[in-house]
Amino acid sequence: MSEHTRLQIGKAALAQVDGSAADSVMHSLETIAPDVGKYILEFAFGDIYTRPVLDLKHREMITITSLLIQGDTAPQLDVHINGALNVGLTQEEIIETFIQCIPYIGFPKVLNAISTAKSVFVNRTA
Amino acid sequence: MSEHTRLQIGKAALAQVDGSAADSVMHSLETIAPDVGKYILEFAFGDIYTRPVLDLKHREMITITSLLIQGDTAPQLDVHINGALNVGLTQEEIIETFIQCIPYIGFPKVLNAISTAKSVFVNRTA
Amino acid sequence: MSEHTRLQIGKAALAQVDGSAADSVMHSLETIAPDVGKYILEFAFGDIYTRPVLDLKHREMITITSLLIQGDTAPQLDVHINGALNVGLTQEEIIETFIQCIPYIGFPKVLNAISTAKSVFVNRTA
Amino acid sequence: MSEHTRLQIGKAALAQVDGSAADSVMHSLETIAPDVGKYILEFAFGDIYTRPVLDLKHREMITITSLLIQGDTAPQLDVHINGALNVGLTQEEIIETFIQCIPYIGFPKVLNAISTAKSVFVNRTA
Amino acid sequence: MSEHTRLQIGKAALAQVDGSAADSVMHSLETIAPDVGKYILEFAFGDIYTRPVLDLKHREMITITSLLIQGDTAPQLDVHINGALNVGLTQEEIIETFIQCIPYIGFPKVLNAISTAKSVFVNRTA
Amino acid sequence: MSEHTRLQIGKAALAQVDGSAADSVMHSLETIAPDVGKYILEFAFGDIYTRPVLDLKHREMITITSLLIQGDTAPQLDVHINGALNVGLTQEEIIETFIQCIPYIGFPKVLNAISTAKSVFVNRTA
């Protein structure tokens, strides 16, 4: 597969997950680190998100769990809570994903993620 | 719901996920911190794992992601890779869950989790 | 012990630590994840904070250390620095707790915690 | 205070906490990074452990909490569980310190710390 | 070496890295935890930054990597991106340092660090 | 650039850093997750390590810092301490890199990294 193709495939995958957030991240990287934007498209979305075995709903469930657990990722969690909703997870499933993390990381990071989710949910209905 | 009931419900939930590992963890806590075993049964399994909205396959997918991301959790990852297989995730889905984490945490912790999975998979077929 | 009792006991324990912060956290969870509020009351405060062997001053010392070390917990650290003062730790003991963490986590997270403490101390005297 | 004095003070403080473990850590650093041993004595033990406001029991309680939360610190936790016992914390207070961390970091790292404590407790009675 | 000398040496080292940020951090610690400011000067800058083998450019490269990886360190990363530029790293080398971290920690924390760098770069040309 | 080319470039870059460790990692992934090995070659080594601006010595200095700070990465640190030596960093520079991390992450993880380095240095002279 050519690099050009990976970029195209990545753009298509990211568009399914969160088109407008993607544009905004790519735009902010444009003058300072455009290759990082390219790697996100080619590698994260082109290579990984398009793999078989798990669908986009499962992939977003894993992604928001990853972001909650490692912490200090509120902007990325905002993008991927939106992405999770876009690919078909419900608000209830997103909150339930966070609740399942409590026994493994405790309450503070779960409260942070719920707080980010709350503002995403409010913004989408606004 | 009485505390006794939560304990019973937790035991039943844990038995579905991984009965023999559970026995072994509870046994190792018995003399030193038996209440921690009780909280794992009552709270983690009794309260959380039995909640609606997500099934046990999703819960184990979230759990193994949590354990991979935070790191230094090989013994718990061993238990829950077994648990994931017990509730119906395939080996391919488990490895794919770990691969989905690469863009969010990099290669080292994913390699650690794959290495734990490899030894679990081998032991189960042995 | 019935679940109702655990909830009552947890509410009483949390009231000792930080009544108004508790109300505010519970209120913010009400529409989006009320069960998480319930678990904080029942499990964190009902089951754990009320255990024997360590008093509330020691428990808050351990809690603020936990929050400092894991990072990305400024809102929770704000609540528990207030809680630590409420149960009788002095400002000097709280800062000294943070200083004891320097050899084990380095300066950056200690500076973050001191900065949160500074704003809590100022707000309480205002 | 001269550097020589800081080194002497640090050695005395470390001897109170855990003389033999200290010798072993310093010995292992001797050929590869002797200055790190010097900084541990001068800065961690000479400057920090000897400060007023908190006694050695509180300092070890904070230290073992720090080590549990950040994870991947089993050898250091072994040293400081021994140190905690040496300065007067009981086995029950050490386990209770770990239990207080559950709401803030979840079960896996608490189980790891309890497992290290168990082997320390057994070795000391052997 | 006397403590007074370590303080002087530390002040000189910090002045090379980032004089105005240093003043601001020390000033903010003055009323609440002045000893922490003293330890940053004496130990971090007096003892560590002035060591041989690595020059200040390498030390700042290691420091900004440390801050990116552990996360929740935006204020410190701001200081040390400025410091890195002050001791002679170029904007391109700083961004490239962050890009080298992608395989080891994934995209989210690298995006956070790039975002902090972007605002530092803009402020310095303003 | 074609994917085939990226793979070839990645293999060449990895061979410069650590040929035998690479073979061993790829071999261990072969039956369980061969694509992860491919991504390490194509993305980490093909795309990232071969970028301009920083040479391989700087890249390995950043990599071993990343691994030290995040923790639970002893096997990867072993590979990259070897890699650092292979591309021309001295033993003194590697230890000094770790010492520079002390003010930013504290002693425990630095001691872990020094312990891994010690065994790598001994094995290479054996």
Side-chain angles (χ1 to χ4, degrees), chain E residues 78-89:
Chain E
D78 186 300
V79 169
H80 285 284
I81 291 169
N82 272 297
L85 292 166
N86 292 342
V87 300
L89 285 172

Side-chain angles (χ1 to χ4, degrees), chain A residues 48-49 51-54 58-59 61-63 65-66 69-70 80 92-93 96-97 99-101 104, chain B residues 48-49 51-54 58-59 61-63 65-66 69-70 80 92-93 96-97 99-101 104:
Chain A
I48 305 291
Y49 272 80
R51 291 174 57 87
V53 179
L54 296 179
H58 287 123
R59 292 189 184 276
M61 185 177 277
I62 295 161
T63 297
T65 302
S66 296
I69 299 289
Q70 83 173 288
H80 285 283
E92 288 69 28
E93 287 169 327
E96 198 63 34
T97 298
I99 290 174
Q100 175 65 19
C101 295
Y104 301 105
Chain B
I48 305 292
Y49 272 79
R51 291 174 57 87
V53 178
L54 296 179
H58 287 124
R59 292 189 185 275
M61 185 179 275
I62 294 161
T63 297
T65 302
S66 296
I69 299 290
Q70 81 174 292
H80 285 283
E92 290 67 27
E93 287 169 326
E96 199 62 35
T97 299
I99 290 175
Q100 176 64 19
C101 295
Y104 300 104

Side-chain angles (χ1 to χ4, degrees), chain A residues 79-94:
Chain A
V79 169
H80 285 283
I81 291 169
N82 272 297
L85 292 166
N86 292 342
V87 300
L89 285 171
T90 64
Q91 292 191 2
E92 288 69 28
E93 287 169 327
I94 290 168

